[in-house]
Amino acid sequence: MNDFREGLLSINLQSIAGNYLDLNKRLRSGAKCGAVVKADAYGLGMSQVVPALFRQGCRDFFVATQAEGERLRKELGDSVQIVILTGVRAGAELECAKAGLMPTLFTLEQLRHWVDICAQAEIEGPCAVKIDSGMTRLGMGPEEFDLLLRDRQLLASADIRILLSHLACADEPQHPQNDIQLRSFKEAGEKLRVLCPEVQLSLANSSGIFLGEDYHFDIARPGSALYGVNPIPGTPNPMRPTVTLSLPIVQKRLVSRKQSVGYGATQQVTAGSWLAVARGGYADGIIRAQGGRGCGWACGRQLPIIGRISMDSTTFDISALSHEERDSLQSIEILNSNLTVDAVAEHAGTIGYEVLTSLGHRYFRRYIKS
Ligand SMILES: *Cc1c(COP(=O)(O)O)cnc(C)c1O
């Protein structure tokens, strides 16, 4: 028997695969579509998601940490390229190279160190180099990158497979920052290609794919859009929703007089209101900021969240349901194709990425394959 008592999280692998194919189709011909599966595939389960993407032809995977990369290597064997986006921990270089993981390196010093360690151990050390094209987060700045271009000896001994950079405003197509970063990255890529003709260029995340072919280069790195987050906020979502989260109701109650609900007595309901308390709270990733603002979904209707969200439970006002609907009601959905990760994020004052990566581990997870 499946145990749904703590909530049921359904993850549709077919929809994720469909989103991958859709993104792949949007790329300029010749560009490859990779997949970012960091943070356990944005909370949806790397072990399940990755094989689904692999079956659609994905061979370029991006993770955040070495531990994620090692896990992925064990599961997928040698047939895929795995890039660690946050580099390699000092002292862990050899382990990283032996596992066949490609670290993203941000400084000349890191690159030299990596090359030396791999040479000493006589093992291959393919790597990615990241430049900062204007986001001012990780990556070599223009001066340091120029030093790299001038260090022919280092370039000859380093096995740089990918040059990458990250866009700061890809989800705002009109933002001038996009064009500035595009030009800066393109120029850097052209210069490096003269010296390392095999290097592949990678700039676009999910939203970057929608900025047009100029942004696609050789490898795209979508994450969120694979999992259903809208890559073009403010316009209809072209991606398929991938998750449904259903919370079991543990108590239904009729409120006999005007009364406040939950911690802090922040919100009141009128006499005659019907409430449903569902199992699932902020410890399960139901973002607390939704309290008094968000909603659930049942019987084709939105049902408001009343009062603050507790650690293990959330209270909904189900007064809008008919007598029969109320009697038969056993669960309330708080994520589905009507109540999307983007809609929930809006209620919680955050982004779909945080809604997904917060999903808790107490739910029963069901993976839909076909
Ligand atoms: C997380 C991440 C991505 C994926 O971004 P999405 O917006 O989720 O598509 C791509 N590149 C880098 C460097 C990242 O850290």
Side-chain angles (χ1 to χ4, degrees):
M1 257 311 271
N2 291 336
D3 186 358
F4 300 162
R5 278 174 302 180
E6 308 303 340
L8 173 62
L9 177 62
S10 303
I11 297 161
N12 193 325
L13 296 174
Q14 264 210 320
S15 300
I16 295 174
N19 285 339
Y20 176 79
L21 291 179
D22 177 277
L23 293 169
N24 200 5
K25 238 186 273 164
R26 288 173 193 270
L27 295 179
R28 69 167 186 88
S29 77
K32 290 193 287 181
C33 194
V36 180
V37 295
K38 61 191 178 189
D40 203 25
Y42 288 47
L44 301 189
M46 187 197 265
S47 300
Q48 307 281 338
V49 166
V50 160
L53 294 170
F54 185 86
R55 278 194 289 277
Q56 304 307 322
C58 185
R59 297 292 180 271
D60 299 275
F61 292 93
F62 297 84
V63 294
T65 68
Q66 191 163 328
E68 290 173 349
E70 282 167 6
R71 202 179 124 197
L72 189 52
R73 182 59 82 209
K74 272 199 201 103
E75 286 175 13
L76 281 183
D78 293 334
S79 56
V80 298
Q81 174 164 280
I82 302 173
V83 179
I84 305 172
L85 290 168
T86 56
V88 58
R89 196 164 27 88
E93 291 88 352
L94 205 51
E95 249 174 79
C96 182
K98 280 183 179 159
L101 305 173
M102 220 191 284
T104 300
L105 304 172
F106 316 117
T107 68
L108 268 180
E109 193 191 335
Q110 275 181 344
L111 181 60
R112 290 201 181 103
H113 197 53
W114 173 256
V115 169
D116 286 349
I117 287 178
C118 294
Q120 274 165 27
E122 296 183 352
I123 51 174
E124 282 189 51
C127 65
V129 164
K130 186 165 187 176
I131 56 167
D132 173 24
S133 56
M135 180 168 178
T136 322
R137 193 176 61 176
L138 291 169
M140 290 182 193
E143 299 79 16
E144 194 164 11
F145 185 66
D146 272 343
L147 290 176
L148 170 63
L149 293 174
R150 276 189 256 142
D151 192 337
R152 299 298 155 90
Q153 200 187 338
L154 179 59
L155 284 178
S157 52
D159 184 3
I160 304 173
R161 302 273 175 98
I162 305 178
L163 180 73
L164 55 90
S165 191
H166 197 52
L167 295 164
C169 306
D171 59 347
E172 298 174 58
Q174 304 308 325
H175 204 294
Q177 174 85 0
N178 292 317
D179 190 52
I180 294 170
Q181 288 196 249
L182 175 65
R183 278 187 283 157
S184 158
F185 182 68
K186 202 170 170 198
E187 191 186 317
E190 281 164 3
K191 285 183 184 164
L192 185 62
R193 268 236 172 103
V194 173
L195 304 162
C196 307
E198 301 296 312
V199 74
Q200 298 197 300
L201 308 183
S202 177
L203 180 64
N205 64 339
S206 298
S207 297
I209 292 172
F210 291 79
L211 293 176
E213 295 200 346
D214 287 352
Y215 288 81
H216 296 169
F217 294 94
D218 301 309
I219 308 176
R221 310 187 305 271
S224 58
L226 294 171
Y227 313 113
V229 175
N230 189 358
I232 41 174
T235 55
N237 190 350
M239 313 317 297
R240 297 158 181 77
T242 66
V243 287
T244 301
L245 177 53
S246 172
L247 303 180
I249 292 168
V250 288
Q251 186 179 2
K252 281 181 245 179
R253 53 192 297 169
L254 174 63
V255 179
S256 56
R257 58 197 156 81
K258 186 176 173 190
Q259 197 125 34
S260 64
V261 179
Y263 280 119
T266 54
Q267 217 179 349
Q268 290 196 323
V269 289
T270 54
S273 296
W274 273 92
L275 301 180
V277 184
R279 213 340 254 131
Y282 60 78
D284 303 289
I286 300 170
I287 295 173
R288 188 171 170 279
Q290 283 186 90
R293 297 205 280 159
C295 64
W297 189 276
C299 309
R301 237 187 301 239
Q302 286 193 0
L303 301 169
I305 294 173
I306 297 294
R308 289 186 184 157
I309 291 172
S310 300
M311 185 184 289
D312 311 299
S313 68
T314 301
T315 304
F316 296 86
D317 187 339
I318 57 167
S319 308
L321 299 183
S322 71
H323 183 78
E324 292 75 27
E325 287 172 331
R326 208 169 56 221
D327 274 356
S328 58
L329 189 70
Q330 295 194 12
S331 61
I332 292 183
E333 292 184 349
I334 57 158
L335 278 175
N336 62 24
S337 55
N338 296 297
L339 194 54
T340 63
V341 284
D342 295 293
V344 169
E346 177 126 11
H347 296 147
T350 180
I351 52 176
Y353 298 64
E354 192 179 2
V355 173
L356 288 179
T357 55
S358 301
L359 287 170
H361 294 279
R362 297 199 285 198
Y363 306 123
F364 182 84
R365 288 178 175 229
R366 180 162 65 193
Y367 287 92
I368 299 162
K369 291 182 178 149
S370 58

